[in-house]
Amino acid sequence: VLALTSSHASGDRMIARLILLVSLSVLFSCGAALDALAGVAGSLTIAGNGPELTTIEPLARAFEKANPSAYLDIVWDDNSKPAEMVTSGQAQIAVTGTEAPNLSSTPIAWDGIGILVHLSNFTKDITKQQVAEIFSGKITLWSEVGGPETKILVIDRPRNQNIRDTFESQLGITGQIASSAKVIGFDEQAVKTIVGTLSPLSAITYLSLSQGLSVVSAGVPVRLLPIDKIEPEGPTVKDGRYPLRRPVLLLSKKDSHPLVEAFTQFALSPAGQQLIAE
């Protein structure tokens, strides 16, 4: 209203200011577009075989959105050997839980290893040592750890999955998991086996804590056992109180690769860490 009732000189000044603002807006838009185009370009392959896929997938898509000239191909195969794929040049980044000789290693997150049982299993909690003894076959009855009078069915994970390497190593039972253990590869199938195994057996398995928390929150009749009286939760994994955890590592060749470095820095950035937390 004031502009409409002002003098012609004031009106001219107002028009000039509007033109300047529009011009600055156009320049800003062009600058933003140029910044996007000036981002990293090219393609790379990320390889893995574990539960980290649900973390890496959104990271890769967000990175591509921020860098329109970059393309990230995710190769995920339960039977693959990601570190060897990087060494041979089949991939530029391997996502694992353990370091590898001659490859650079960057930790981007921690993931707990959850101990999953049927919801009806009233075992209150177990110690880290008891977990080791259950999976190595020294403890065979749930009643030995304060649970029901049922036999323990141990569900192991495939040897090629990096979660198994960390699990065995942290418990000090490398190569000692009971031969009677049932080996199941997919988390979904392992969870179904836990749900479907009832008296006189009661099953137990281990899996990525993020996966375990997901199925519990979805209402599947399973529960995660506290270990050494520490609840399996995000905060207790992050600060190290929960005793079973493993790093999520990005492995790459030690020689410089701009796209690898850019993705690694993105994963460590506040935006990347927020995606990982989610």
Side-chain angles (χ1 to χ4, degrees):
V1 174
L2 288 174
L4 289 174
T5 58
S6 63
S7 66
H8 289 299
S10 297
D12 290 343
R13 285 196 298 271
M14 180 65 72
I15 292 171
R17 288 177 63 190
L18 286 172
I19 291 173
L20 177 60
L21 287 172
V22 171
S23 299
L24 289 173
S25 177
V26 171
L27 286 172
F28 179 80
S29 298
C30 290
L34 288 173
D35 286 342
L37 292 174
V40 291
S43 63
L44 65 78
T45 298
I46 301 174
N49 65 8
E52 306 90 352
L53 179 59
T54 55
T55 298
I56 295 302
E57 182 72 37
L59 272 179
R61 301 294 81 89
F63 180 81
E64 288 178 329
K65 186 175 181 180
N67 299 274
S69 297
Y71 173 71
L72 276 58
D73 183 26
I74 298 177
V75 177
W76 221 261
D77 184 348
D78 288 344
N79 298 313
S80 68
K81 297 181 178 179
E84 292 183 11
M85 291 177 67
V86 171
T87 302
S88 66
Q90 294 175 278
Q92 287 71 52
I93 294 177
V95 185
T96 76
T98 54
E99 296 183 355
N102 304 319
L103 293 179
S104 295
S105 173
T106 303
I108 62 168
W110 286 100
D111 187 19
I113 300 177
I115 306 301
L116 197 73
V117 297
H118 194 277
L119 185 61
S120 65
N121 188 329
F122 55 79
T123 304
K124 188 175 181 181
D125 58 40
I126 53 178
T127 66
K128 185 177 177 181
Q129 181 59 36
Q130 287 171 335
V131 176
E133 292 178 357
I134 287 173
F135 279 87
S136 61
K138 294 178 181 178
I139 293 178
T140 59
L141 297 172
W142 280 109
S143 57
E144 296 179 62
V145 291
E149 292 287 342
T150 56
K151 291 182 179 180
I152 300 173
L153 172 63
V154 173
I155 299 173
D156 194 13
R157 316 314 300 274
R159 183 163 296 282
N160 63 312
Q161 289 190 4
N162 60 65
I163 191 173
R164 173 171 173 167
D165 293 336
T166 309
F167 181 73
E168 289 184 329
S169 175
Q170 290 193 4
L171 293 176
I173 56 170
T174 300
Q176 299 176 36
I177 290 183
S179 58
S180 59
K182 187 174 183 178
V183 179
I184 297 178
F186 295 106
D187 285 343
E188 181 182 355
Q189 190 57 46
V191 172
K192 286 182 178 179
T193 304
I194 293 287
V195 172
T197 306
L198 300 171
S199 294
L201 293 175
S202 190
I204 184 172
T205 194
Y206 59 95
L207 75 172
S208 164
L209 183 56
S210 60
Q211 298 289 82
L213 290 171
S214 177
V215 296
V216 169
S217 64
V220 178
V222 292
R223 56 186 290 256
L224 291 159
L225 290 177
I227 300 177
D228 294 333
K229 300 188 183 302
I230 302 297
E231 291 292 335
E233 300 171 336
T236 60
V237 169
K238 186 175 181 179
D239 64 22
R241 284 179 293 150
Y242 184 73
L244 286 179
R245 68 173 189 169
R246 65 194 188 95
V248 177
L249 305 174
L250 300 184
L251 305 185
S252 61
K253 289 185 176 179
K254 293 183 178 180
D255 54 316
S256 178
H257 188 300
L259 201 53
V260 170
E261 291 179 3
F263 179 74
T264 301
Q265 290 305 311
F266 177 74
L268 295 172
S269 71
Q273 289 293 298
Q274 180 60 38
L275 283 171
I276 291 171
E278 292 171 359

